[in-house]
Amino acid sequence: MKRVVAPLLFILSLGCAASVAQADTSDRFAMGGWIEKFQPAIDQANASGELFRIRGHCQSNCTLFLGVRNVCVERSARLLFHAGHGRGPNRHVINAGSTQRMLNAYNGKLRQYVVANGYLEKLEFSTISGARIIDEFGYRECPRGG
């Protein structure tokens, strides 16, 4: 019996170790882009429940990660907000649906602030530091060492 149990425990421990995932980050999404690039990562983060870190530069649709259920923000992050816009010839035309999608991702305090200050009424970037996102808008600070 001992000869069967020991290898089985070893195999099970390998399986458990392999299933422990590292927290995903906003790094590869830092420069923004179209929703098709972001939605799968948002869905995966929400499905896994793993910690999702917003760090460094995070602009445009990258700010959608603020809506991930287990998100944290590094104090040194810089989040850049602007109105959603169309594509191609409509690239410089504000799109209400895209803008609303971004607003829906933010908590109430941040949503109220960006609306009151017109951050999502223009295509130019408005920046909020990670420290401010944490301290003023109530987002969780990332644990050190990740």
Side-chain angles (χ1 to χ4, degrees):
M1 180 74 166
K2 284 184 182 178
R3 288 184 182 186
V4 173
V5 172
L8 182 59
L9 289 176
F10 176 74
I11 291 168
L12 287 173
S13 69
L14 285 178
C16 290
S19 68
V20 176
Q22 283 283 39
D24 200 359
T25 70
S26 60
D27 293 347
R28 70 184 185 275
F29 304 97
M31 299 308 291
W34 301 111
I35 189 64
E36 296 85 0
K37 175 181 170 186
F38 290 82
Q39 197 61 55
I42 292 167
D43 293 344
Q44 172 60 36
N46 282 327
S48 75
E50 293 291 327
L51 185 65
F52 189 96
R53 290 177 170 271
I54 295 178
R55 62 185 190 186
H57 183 92
C58 179
Q59 76 181 36
S60 189
N61 267 338
C62 182
T63 65
L64 289 172
F65 292 119
L66 289 168
V68 168
R69 71 180 170 115
N70 195 13
V71 68
C72 67
V73 180
E74 292 188 358
R75 287 194 163 276
S76 60
R78 292 177 38 88
L79 291 89
L80 287 75
F81 299 82
H82 69 85
H85 56 82
R87 299 179 189 207
N90 293 324
R91 182 160 178 79
H92 299 291
V93 177
I94 293 174
N95 179 287
S98 297
T99 301
Q100 190 61 52
R101 182 184 305 118
M102 287 189 275
L103 279 171
N104 291 344
Y106 310 150
N107 72 17
K109 283 184 181 180
L110 180 59
R111 186 179 314 117
Q112 182 178 7
Y113 179 83
V114 298
V115 167
N117 289 282
Y119 282 21
L120 299 185
E121 294 175 8
K122 58 186 180 175
L123 297 177
E124 298 79 28
F125 290 115
S126 297
T127 305
I128 303 176
S129 70
R132 196 164 172 210
I133 291 285
I134 295 162
D135 296 339
E136 290 183 36
F137 304 111
Y139 285 88
R140 181 170 49 151
E141 182 174 1
C142 293
R144 300 208 188 273

mmCIF file of all heavy atoms in Angstrom, residues 55-102:
data_model
loop_
_atom_site.group_PDB
_atom_site.id
_atom_site.type_symbol
_atom_site.label_atom_id
_atom_site.label_comp_id
_atom_site.label_asym_id
_atom_site.label_seq_id
_atom_site.Cartn_x
_atom_site.Cartn_y
_atom_site.Cartn_z
ATOM 1 N N ARG A 55 -0.408 47.806 -13.126
ATOM 2 C CA ARG A 55 0.880 48.404 -12.760
ATOM 3 C C ARG A 55 1.460 49.154 -13.950
ATOM 4 O O ARG A 55 1.065 48.927 -15.093
ATOM 5 C CB ARG A 55 1.843 47.343 -12.263
ATOM 6 C CG ARG A 55 2.194 46.283 -13.251
ATOM 7 C CD ARG A 55 3.045 45.223 -12.594
ATOM 8 N NE ARG A 55 3.587 44.298 -13.577
ATOM 9 C CZ ARG A 55 4.264 43.220 -13.263
ATOM 10 N NH1 ARG A 55 4.492 42.936 -11.997
ATOM 11 N NH2 ARG A 55 4.724 42.428 -14.196
ATOM 12 N N GLY A 56 2.364 50.058 -13.654
ATOM 13 C CA GLY A 56 3.009 50.829 -14.708
ATOM 14 C C GLY A 56 2.021 51.712 -15.448
ATOM 15 O O GLY A 56 1.064 52.227 -14.880
ATOM 16 N N HIS A 57 2.266 51.867 -16.731
ATOM 17 C CA HIS A 57 1.446 52.684 -17.615
ATOM 18 C C HIS A 57 0.213 51.881 -18.023
ATOM 19 O O HIS A 57 0.342 50.735 -18.442
ATOM 20 C CB HIS A 57 2.293 53.047 -18.847
ATOM 21 C CG HIS A 57 1.618 53.929 -19.812
ATOM 22 N ND1 HIS A 57 1.733 55.298 -19.764
ATOM 23 C CD2 HIS A 57 0.817 53.656 -20.867
ATOM 24 C CE1 HIS A 57 1.031 55.818 -20.755
ATOM 25 N NE2 HIS A 57 0.472 54.851 -21.443
ATOM 26 N N CYS A 58 -0.972 52.474 -17.896
ATOM 27 C CA CYS A 58 -2.220 51.776 -18.232
ATOM 28 C C CYS A 58 -3.175 52.792 -18.835
ATOM 29 O O CYS A 58 -3.775 53.583 -18.126
ATOM 30 C CB CYS A 58 -2.811 51.149 -16.970
ATOM 31 S SG CYS A 58 -4.362 50.266 -17.203
ATOM 32 N N GLN A 59 -3.304 52.772 -20.173
ATOM 33 C CA GLN A 59 -4.121 53.798 -20.820
ATOM 34 C C GLN A 59 -5.321 53.213 -21.545
ATOM 35 O O GLN A 59 -5.307 52.057 -21.955
ATOM 36 C CB GLN A 59 -3.281 54.630 -21.795
ATOM 37 C CG GLN A 59 -2.955 53.945 -23.100
ATOM 38 C CD GLN A 59 -2.105 54.816 -24.005
ATOM 39 O OE1 GLN A 59 -1.240 55.548 -23.546
ATOM 40 N NE2 GLN A 59 -2.348 54.736 -25.293
ATOM 41 N N SER A 60 -6.342 54.040 -21.649
ATOM 42 C CA SER A 60 -7.504 53.755 -22.467
ATOM 43 C C SER A 60 -8.222 52.495 -21.988
ATOM 44 O O SER A 60 -8.576 52.404 -20.814
ATOM 45 C CB SER A 60 -7.063 53.653 -23.925
ATOM 46 O OG SER A 60 -8.154 53.577 -24.801
ATOM 47 N N ASN A 61 -8.442 51.516 -22.867
ATOM 48 C CA ASN A 61 -9.167 50.303 -22.479
ATOM 49 C C ASN A 61 -8.452 49.517 -21.387
ATOM 50 O O ASN A 61 -9.067 48.690 -20.734
ATOM 51 C CB ASN A 61 -9.422 49.405 -23.696
ATOM 52 C CG ASN A 61 -10.759 49.675 -24.336
ATOM 53 O OD1 ASN A 61 -11.660 50.212 -23.708
ATOM 54 N ND2 ASN A 61 -10.909 49.314 -25.586
ATOM 55 N N CYS A 62 -7.188 49.793 -21.151
ATOM 56 C CA CYS A 62 -6.486 49.145 -20.034
ATOM 57 C C CYS A 62 -7.186 49.453 -18.712
ATOM 58 O O CYS A 62 -7.189 48.633 -17.800
ATOM 59 C CB CYS A 62 -5.034 49.605 -19.999
ATOM 60 S SG CYS A 62 -4.036 48.832 -18.710
ATOM 61 N N THR A 63 -7.834 50.627 -18.629
ATOM 62 C CA THR A 63 -8.520 50.987 -17.389
ATOM 63 C C THR A 63 -9.744 50.111 -17.130
ATOM 64 O O THR A 63 -10.268 50.100 -16.022
ATOM 65 C CB THR A 63 -8.929 52.472 -17.379
ATOM 66 O OG1 THR A 63 -9.897 52.709 -18.406
ATOM 67 C CG2 THR A 63 -7.721 53.387 -17.572
ATOM 68 N N LEU A 64 -10.179 49.337 -18.147
ATOM 69 C CA LEU A 64 -11.286 48.395 -17.937
ATOM 70 C C LEU A 64 -10.937 47.349 -16.881
ATOM 71 O O LEU A 64 -11.826 46.775 -16.261
ATOM 72 C CB LEU A 64 -11.649 47.683 -19.245
ATOM 73 C CG LEU A 64 -12.336 48.520 -20.310
ATOM 74 C CD1 LEU A 64 -12.439 47.730 -21.614
ATOM 75 C CD2 LEU A 64 -13.698 48.978 -19.842
ATOM 76 N N PHE A 65 -9.651 47.094 -16.676
ATOM 77 C CA PHE A 65 -9.247 46.116 -15.673
ATOM 78 C C PHE A 65 -9.616 46.550 -14.262
ATOM 79 O O PHE A 65 -9.624 45.732 -13.343
ATOM 80 C CB PHE A 65 -7.754 45.802 -15.774
ATOM 81 C CG PHE A 65 -7.404 45.058 -17.035
ATOM 82 C CD1 PHE A 65 -6.529 45.597 -17.953
ATOM 83 C CD2 PHE A 65 -7.964 43.822 -17.309
ATOM 84 C CE1 PHE A 65 -6.207 44.918 -19.115
ATOM 85 C CE2 PHE A 65 -7.658 43.134 -18.475
ATOM 86 C CZ PHE A 65 -6.771 43.683 -19.384
ATOM 87 N N LEU A 66 -9.943 47.822 -14.067
ATOM 88 C CA LEU A 66 -10.429 48.263 -12.756
ATOM 89 C C LEU A 66 -11.721 47.553 -12.382
ATOM 90 O O LEU A 66 -12.080 47.482 -11.218
ATOM 91 C CB LEU A 66 -10.636 49.782 -12.744
ATOM 92 C CG LEU A 66 -9.364 50.617 -12.775
ATOM 93 C CD1 LEU A 66 -9.691 52.079 -13.062
ATOM 94 C CD2 LEU A 66 -8.583 50.466 -11.474
ATOM 95 N N GLY A 67 -12.420 46.988 -13.368
ATOM 96 C CA GLY A 67 -13.661 46.270 -13.120
ATOM 97 C C GLY A 67 -13.496 44.792 -12.843
ATOM 98 O O GLY A 67 -14.469 44.092 -12.568
ATOM 99 N N VAL A 68 -12.263 44.287 -12.877
ATOM 100 C CA VAL A 68 -12.018 42.875 -12.564
ATOM 101 C C VAL A 68 -12.319 42.652 -11.087
ATOM 102 O O VAL A 68 -11.935 43.462 -10.231
ATOM 103 C CB VAL A 68 -10.564 42.484 -12.919
ATOM 104 C CG1 VAL A 68 -10.193 41.132 -12.352
ATOM 105 C CG2 VAL A 68 -10.375 42.503 -14.435
ATOM 106 N N ARG A 69 -12.977 41.568 -10.772
ATOM 107 C CA ARG A 69 -13.448 41.359 -9.392
ATOM 108 C C ARG A 69 -12.331 41.223 -8.368
ATOM 109 O O ARG A 69 -12.524 41.524 -7.207
ATOM 110 C CB ARG A 69 -14.398 40.173 -9.316
ATOM 111 C CG ARG A 69 -13.757 38.819 -9.509
ATOM 112 C CD ARG A 69 -14.827 37.732 -9.420
ATOM 113 N NE ARG A 69 -14.314 36.449 -9.827
ATOM 114 C CZ ARG A 69 -14.194 35.419 -9.024
ATOM 115 N NH1 ARG A 69 -14.566 35.505 -7.772
ATOM 116 N NH2 ARG A 69 -13.713 34.288 -9.480
ATOM 117 N N ASN A 70 -11.149 40.769 -8.764
ATOM 118 C CA ASN A 70 -10.031 40.630 -7.836
ATOM 119 C C ASN A 70 -8.845 41.449 -8.344
ATOM 120 O O ASN A 70 -7.764 40.940 -8.566
ATOM 121 C CB ASN A 70 -9.653 39.150 -7.671
ATOM 122 C CG ASN A 70 -8.757 38.927 -6.470
ATOM 123 O OD1 ASN A 70 -8.597 39.791 -5.618
ATOM 124 N ND2 ASN A 70 -8.150 37.756 -6.411
ATOM 125 N N VAL A 71 -9.082 42.739 -8.526
ATOM 126 C CA VAL A 71 -8.060 43.634 -9.052
ATOM 127 C C VAL A 71 -7.342 44.337 -7.900
ATOM 128 O O VAL A 71 -7.927 44.572 -6.835
ATOM 129 C CB VAL A 71 -8.664 44.682 -10.014
ATOM 130 C CG1 VAL A 71 -9.554 45.672 -9.281
ATOM 131 C CG2 VAL A 71 -7.587 45.389 -10.814
ATOM 132 N N CYS A 72 -6.074 44.644 -8.152
ATOM 133 C CA CYS A 72 -5.338 45.517 -7.247
ATOM 134 C C CYS A 72 -4.550 46.495 -8.112
ATOM 135 O O CYS A 72 -4.329 46.257 -9.300
ATOM 136 C CB CYS A 72 -4.420 44.730 -6.317
ATOM 137 S SG CYS A 72 -3.025 43.900 -7.124
ATOM 138 N N VAL A 73 -4.160 47.600 -7.517
ATOM 139 C CA VAL A 73 -3.450 48.650 -8.229
ATOM 140 C C VAL A 73 -2.152 48.930 -7.489
ATOM 141 O O VAL A 73 -2.147 49.039 -6.259
ATOM 142 C CB VAL A 73 -4.305 49.939 -8.319
ATOM 143 C CG1 VAL A 73 -3.570 51.042 -9.052
ATOM 144 C CG2 VAL A 73 -5.647 49.643 -8.972
ATOM 145 N N GLU A 74 -1.063 49.035 -8.233
ATOM 146 C CA GLU A 74 0.212 49.421 -7.616
ATOM 147 C C GLU A 74 0.251 50.939 -7.495
ATOM 148 O O GLU A 74 -0.224 51.661 -8.368
ATOM 149 C CB GLU A 74 1.381 48.912 -8.452
ATOM 150 C CG GLU A 74 1.478 47.399 -8.417
ATOM 151 C CD GLU A 74 2.735 46.852 -9.061
ATOM 152 O OE1 GLU A 74 3.552 47.632 -9.597
ATOM 153 O OE2 GLU A 74 2.901 45.612 -9.014
ATOM 154 N N ARG A 75 0.799 51.408 -6.399
ATOM 155 C CA ARG A 75 0.867 52.851 -6.143
ATOM 156 C C ARG A 75 1.578 53.594 -7.261
ATOM 157 O O ARG A 75 1.245 54.731 -7.575
ATOM 158 C CB ARG A 75 1.574 53.135 -4.820
ATOM 159 C CG ARG A 75 0.727 52.791 -3.641
ATOM 160 C CD ARG A 75 1.268 53.377 -2.333
ATOM 161 N NE ARG A 75 0.187 53.321 -1.377
ATOM 162 C CZ ARG A 75 -0.779 54.223 -1.258
ATOM 163 N NH1 ARG A 75 -0.768 55.289 -2.003
ATOM 164 N NH2 ARG A 75 -1.746 54.083 -0.395
ATOM 165 N N SER A 76 2.553 52.970 -7.872
ATOM 166 C CA SER A 76 3.346 53.625 -8.914
ATOM 167 C C SER A 76 2.673 53.618 -10.286
ATOM 168 O O SER A 76 3.193 54.202 -11.237
ATOM 169 C CB SER A 76 4.714 52.961 -9.016
ATOM 170 O OG SER A 76 4.556 51.589 -9.342
ATOM 171 N N ALA A 77 1.510 52.985 -10.404
ATOM 172 C CA ALA A 77 0.810 52.927 -11.695
ATOM 173 C C ALA A 77 0.350 54.318 -12.117
ATOM 174 O O ALA A 77 0.157 55.209 -11.287
ATOM 175 C CB ALA A 77 -0.399 51.986 -11.600
ATOM 176 N N ARG A 78 0.189 54.469 -13.424
ATOM 177 C CA ARG A 78 -0.370 55.700 -14.002
ATOM 178 C C ARG A 78 -1.477 55.286 -14.952
ATOM 179 O O ARG A 78 -1.211 54.625 -15.961
ATOM 180 C CB ARG A 78 0.704 56.494 -14.751
ATOM 181 C CG ARG A 78 1.758 57.081 -13.829
ATOM 182 C CD ARG A 78 2.863 57.805 -14.583
ATOM 183 N NE ARG A 78 2.446 58.562 -15.750
ATOM 184 C CZ ARG A 78 2.036 59.830 -15.761
ATOM 185 N NH1 ARG A 78 1.984 60.501 -14.639
ATOM 186 N NH2 ARG A 78 1.692 60.434 -16.877
ATOM 187 N N LEU A 79 -2.715 55.663 -14.638
ATOM 188 C CA LEU A 79 -3.865 55.294 -15.447
ATOM 189 C C LEU A 79 -4.320 56.502 -16.257
ATOM 190 O O LEU A 79 -4.506 57.589 -15.701
ATOM 191 C CB LEU A 79 -4.999 54.783 -14.563
ATOM 192 C CG LEU A 79 -4.692 53.431 -13.901
ATOM 193 C CD1 LEU A 79 -4.004 53.621 -12.565
ATOM 194 C CD2 LEU A 79 -5.946 52.625 -13.748
ATOM 195 N N LEU A 80 -4.473 56.306 -17.555
ATOM 196 C CA LEU A 80 -4.824 57.383 -18.469
ATOM 197 C C LEU A 80 -6.216 57.131 -19.046
ATOM 198 O O LEU A 80 -6.462 56.079 -19.643
ATOM 199 C CB LEU A 80 -3.803 57.482 -19.598
ATOM 200 C CG LEU A 80 -2.438 58.064 -19.206
ATOM 201 C CD1 LEU A 80 -1.606 57.070 -18.431
ATOM 202 C CD2 LEU A 80 -1.687 58.503 -20.440
ATOM 203 N N PHE A 81 -7.102 58.099 -18.860
ATOM 204 C CA PHE A 81 -8.509 57.990 -19.226
ATOM 205 C C PHE A 81 -8.833 58.905 -20.400
ATOM 206 O O PHE A 81 -8.279 60.001 -20.502
ATOM 207 C CB PHE A 81 -9.383 58.404 -18.033
ATOM 208 C CG PHE A 81 -9.192 57.544 -16.815
ATOM 209 C CD1 PHE A 81 -8.131 57.760 -15.941
ATOM 210 C CD2 PHE A 81 -10.074 56.510 -16.543
ATOM 211 C CE1 PHE A 81 -7.962 56.972 -14.816
ATOM 212 C CE2 PHE A 81 -9.909 55.718 -15.418
ATOM 213 C CZ PHE A 81 -8.841 55.951 -14.556
ATOM 214 N N HIS A 82 -9.748 58.473 -21.257
ATOM 215 C CA HIS A 82 -10.309 59.313 -22.314
ATOM 216 C C HIS A 82 -11.625 58.701 -22.775
ATOM 217 O O HIS A 82 -11.943 57.557 -22.436
ATOM 218 C CB HIS A 82 -9.340 59.483 -23.495
ATOM 219 C CG HIS A 82 -9.127 58.243 -24.301
ATOM 220 N ND1 HIS A 82 -9.962 57.862 -25.323
ATOM 221 C CD2 HIS A 82 -8.167 57.297 -24.234
ATOM 222 C CE1 HIS A 82 -9.519 56.733 -25.856
ATOM 223 N NE2 HIS A 82 -8.432 56.357 -25.204
ATOM 224 N N ALA A 83 -12.374 59.436 -23.558
ATOM 225 C CA ALA A 83 -13.649 58.949 -24.085
ATOM 226 C C ALA A 83 -13.409 57.798 -25.052
ATOM 227 O O ALA A 83 -12.388 57.749 -25.731
ATOM 228 C CB ALA A 83 -14.376 60.082 -24.796
ATOM 229 N N GLY A 84 -14.363 56.887 -25.106
ATOM 230 C CA GLY A 84 -14.320 55.845 -26.124
ATOM 231 C C GLY A 84 -14.565 56.468 -27.486
ATOM 232 O O GLY A 84 -15.243 57.492 -27.601
ATOM 233 N N HIS A 85 -13.997 55.861 -28.517
ATOM 234 C CA HIS A 85 -14.142 56.440 -29.856
ATOM 235 C C HIS A 85 -14.313 55.345 -30.899
ATOM 236 O O HIS A 85 -14.097 54.159 -30.634
ATOM 237 C CB HIS A 85 -12.943 57.327 -30.200
ATOM 238 C CG HIS A 85 -11.622 56.630 -30.091
ATOM 239 N ND1 HIS A 85 -11.118 55.828 -31.095
ATOM 240 C CD2 HIS A 85 -10.718 56.597 -29.089
ATOM 241 C CE1 HIS A 85 -9.939 55.345 -30.711
ATOM 242 N NE2 HIS A 85 -9.688 55.790 -29.496
ATOM 243 N N GLY A 86 -14.686 55.779 -32.094
ATOM 244 C CA GLY A 86 -14.895 54.859 -33.198
ATOM 245 C C GLY A 86 -13.585 54.417 -33.828
ATOM 246 O O GLY A 86 -12.505 54.733 -33.356
ATOM 247 N N ARG A 87 -13.727 53.703 -34.933
ATOM 248 C CA ARG A 87 -12.577 53.180 -35.662
ATOM 249 C C ARG A 87 -12.501 53.808 -37.049
ATOM 250 O O ARG A 87 -13.472 54.362 -37.541
ATOM 251 C CB ARG A 87 -12.700 51.669 -35.805
ATOM 252 C CG ARG A 87 -12.739 50.964 -34.487
ATOM 253 C CD ARG A 87 -12.882 49.474 -34.694
ATOM 254 N NE ARG A 87 -13.129 48.823 -33.415
ATOM 255 C CZ ARG A 87 -12.805 47.584 -33.165
ATOM 256 N NH1 ARG A 87 -12.232 46.838 -34.076
ATOM 257 N NH2 ARG A 87 -13.054 47.059 -31.980
ATOM 258 N N GLY A 88 -11.355 53.636 -37.671
ATOM 259 C CA GLY A 88 -11.171 54.106 -39.042
ATOM 260 C C GLY A 88 -11.517 55.572 -39.182
ATOM 261 O O GLY A 88 -11.004 56.400 -38.416
ATOM 262 N N PRO A 89 -12.410 55.907 -40.115
ATOM 263 C CA PRO A 89 -12.746 57.325 -40.314
ATOM 264 C C PRO A 89 -13.456 57.940 -39.097
ATOM 265 O O PRO A 89 -13.501 59.154 -38.959
ATOM 266 C CB PRO A 89 -13.671 57.325 -41.538
ATOM 267 C CG PRO A 89 -14.114 55.918 -41.720
ATOM 268 C CD PRO A 89 -13.095 55.032 -41.059
ATOM 269 N N ASN A 90 -13.977 57.103 -38.209
ATOM 270 C CA ASN A 90 -14.645 57.594 -36.991
ATOM 271 C C ASN A 90 -13.727 57.598 -35.771
ATOM 272 O O ASN A 90 -14.199 57.734 -34.651
ATOM 273 C CB ASN A 90 -15.889 56.748 -36.700
ATOM 274 C CG ASN A 90 -16.954 56.941 -37.743
ATOM 275 O OD1 ASN A 90 -17.137 58.040 -38.251
ATOM 276 N ND2 ASN A 90 -17.649 55.870 -38.093
ATOM 277 N N ARG A 91 -12.437 57.425 -36.005
ATOM 278 C CA ARG A 91 -11.469 57.349 -34.899
ATOM 279 C C ARG A 91 -11.505 58.594 -34.007
ATOM 280 O O ARG A 91 -11.215 58.519 -32.829
ATOM 281 C CB ARG A 91 -10.070 57.138 -35.457
ATOM 282 C CG ARG A 91 -9.031 56.998 -34.382
ATOM 283 C CD ARG A 91 -7.785 56.318 -34.914
ATOM 284 N NE ARG A 91 -6.768 56.222 -33.903
ATOM 285 C CZ ARG A 91 -6.746 55.327 -32.935
ATOM 286 N NH1 ARG A 91 -7.704 54.436 -32.844
ATOM 287 N NH2 ARG A 91 -5.776 55.307 -32.051
ATOM 288 N N HIS A 92 -11.870 59.720 -34.565
ATOM 289 C CA HIS A 92 -11.884 60.968 -33.791
ATOM 290 C C HIS A 92 -13.295 61.376 -33.389
ATOM 291 O O HIS A 92 -13.548 62.528 -33.050
ATOM 292 C CB HIS A 92 -11.186 62.079 -34.582
ATOM 293 C CG HIS A 92 -9.759 61.757 -34.872
ATOM 294 N ND1 HIS A 92 -8.785 61.715 -33.900
ATOM 295 C CD2 HIS A 92 -9.141 61.392 -36.026
ATOM 296 C CE1 HIS A 92 -7.639 61.371 -34.436
ATOM 297 N NE2 HIS A 92 -7.824 61.155 -35.733
ATOM 298 N N VAL A 93 -14.203 60.396 -33.432
ATOM 299 C CA VAL A 93 -15.587 60.633 -33.035
ATOM 300 C C VAL A 93 -15.871 59.853 -31.755
ATOM 301 O O VAL A 93 -15.655 58.633 -31.691
ATOM 302 C CB VAL A 93 -16.571 60.186 -34.151
ATOM 303 C CG1 VAL A 93 -18.015 60.365 -33.697
ATOM 304 C CG2 VAL A 93 -16.296 60.933 -35.447
ATOM 305 N N ILE A 94 -16.308 60.541 -30.725
ATOM 306 C CA ILE A 94 -16.605 59.885 -29.450
ATOM 307 C C ILE A 94 -17.764 58.915 -29.634
ATOM 308 O O ILE A 94 -18.764 59.238 -30.267
ATOM 309 C CB ILE A 94 -16.900 60.928 -28.357
ATOM 310 C CG1 ILE A 94 -15.614 61.716 -28.054
ATOM 311 C CG2 ILE A 94 -17.459 60.270 -27.102
ATOM 312 C CD1 ILE A 94 -15.787 62.868 -27.100
ATOM 313 N N ASN A 95 -17.598 57.717 -29.088
ATOM 314 C CA ASN A 95 -18.601 56.661 -29.182
ATOM 315 C C ASN A 95 -19.216 56.459 -27.797
ATOM 316 O O ASN A 95 -18.523 56.060 -26.854
ATOM 317 C CB ASN A 95 -17.936 55.374 -29.679
ATOM 318 C CG ASN A 95 -18.909 54.231 -29.779
ATOM 319 O OD1 ASN A 95 -19.337 53.684 -28.765
ATOM 320 N ND2 ASN A 95 -19.254 53.861 -31.001
ATOM 321 N N ALA A 96 -20.508 56.736 -27.677
ATOM 322 C CA ALA A 96 -21.194 56.669 -26.379
ATOM 323 C C ALA A 96 -21.158 55.263 -25.778
ATOM 324 O O ALA A 96 -20.977 55.107 -24.572
ATOM 325 C CB ALA A 96 -22.629 57.145 -26.520
ATOM 326 N N GLY A 97 -21.328 54.236 -26.602
ATOM 327 C CA GLY A 97 -21.315 52.862 -26.097
ATOM 328 C C GLY A 97 -19.976 52.465 -25.514
ATOM 329 O O GLY A 97 -19.901 51.866 -24.437
ATOM 330 N N SER A 98 -18.894 52.804 -26.212
ATOM 331 C CA SER A 98 -17.551 52.494 -25.716
ATOM 332 C C SER A 98 -17.247 53.261 -24.437
ATOM 333 O O SER A 98 -16.645 52.726 -23.502
ATOM 334 C CB SER A 98 -16.499 52.841 -26.774
ATOM 335 O OG SER A 98 -16.677 52.061 -27.924
ATOM 336 N N THR A 99 -17.672 54.509 -24.417
ATOM 337 C CA THR A 99 -17.460 55.330 -23.222
ATOM 338 C C THR A 99 -18.232 54.752 -22.038
ATOM 339 O O THR A 99 -17.695 54.653 -20.927
ATOM 340 C CB THR A 99 -17.883 56.787 -23.508
ATOM 341 O OG1 THR A 99 -17.098 57.288 -24.595
ATOM 342 C CG2 THR A 99 -17.690 57.664 -22.285
ATOM 343 N N GLN A 100 -19.459 54.343 -22.264
ATOM 344 C CA GLN A 100 -20.268 53.764 -21.186
ATOM 345 C C GLN A 100 -19.661 52.465 -20.678
ATOM 346 O O GLN A 100 -19.684 52.186 -19.475
ATOM 347 C CB GLN A 100 -21.707 53.535 -21.651
ATOM 348 C CG GLN A 100 -22.638 53.157 -20.523
ATOM 349 C CD GLN A 100 -22.739 54.244 -19.461
ATOM 350 O OE1 GLN A 100 -23.002 55.401 -19.772
ATOM 351 N NE2 GLN A 100 -22.516 53.889 -18.208
ATOM 352 N N ARG A 101 -19.103 51.653 -21.570
ATOM 353 C CA ARG A 101 -18.451 50.403 -21.157
ATOM 354 C C ARG A 101 -17.327 50.703 -20.162
ATOM 355 O O ARG A 101 -17.165 50.023 -19.167
ATOM 356 C CB ARG A 101 -17.902 49.656 -22.368
ATOM 357 C CG ARG A 101 -17.267 48.328 -21.978
ATOM 358 C CD ARG A 101 -16.608 47.583 -23.142
ATOM 359 N NE ARG A 101 -17.507 47.362 -24.237
ATOM 360 C CZ ARG A 101 -17.327 47.862 -25.478
ATOM 361 N NH1 ARG A 101 -16.293 48.600 -25.762
ATOM 362 N NH2 ARG A 101 -18.199 47.598 -26.429
ATOM 363 N N MET A 102 -16.548 51.743 -20.455
ATOM 364 C CA MET A 102 -15.470 52.109 -19.534
ATOM 365 C C MET A 102 -16.040 52.583 -18.203
ATOM 366 O O MET A 102 -15.598 52.137 -17.143
ATOM 367 C CB MET A 102 -14.560 53.163 -20.169
ATOM 368 C CG MET A 102 -13.690 52.577 -21.257
ATOM 369 S SD MET A 102 -12.422 53.694 -21.850
ATOM 370 C CE MET A 102 -13.334 54.606 -23.060
#
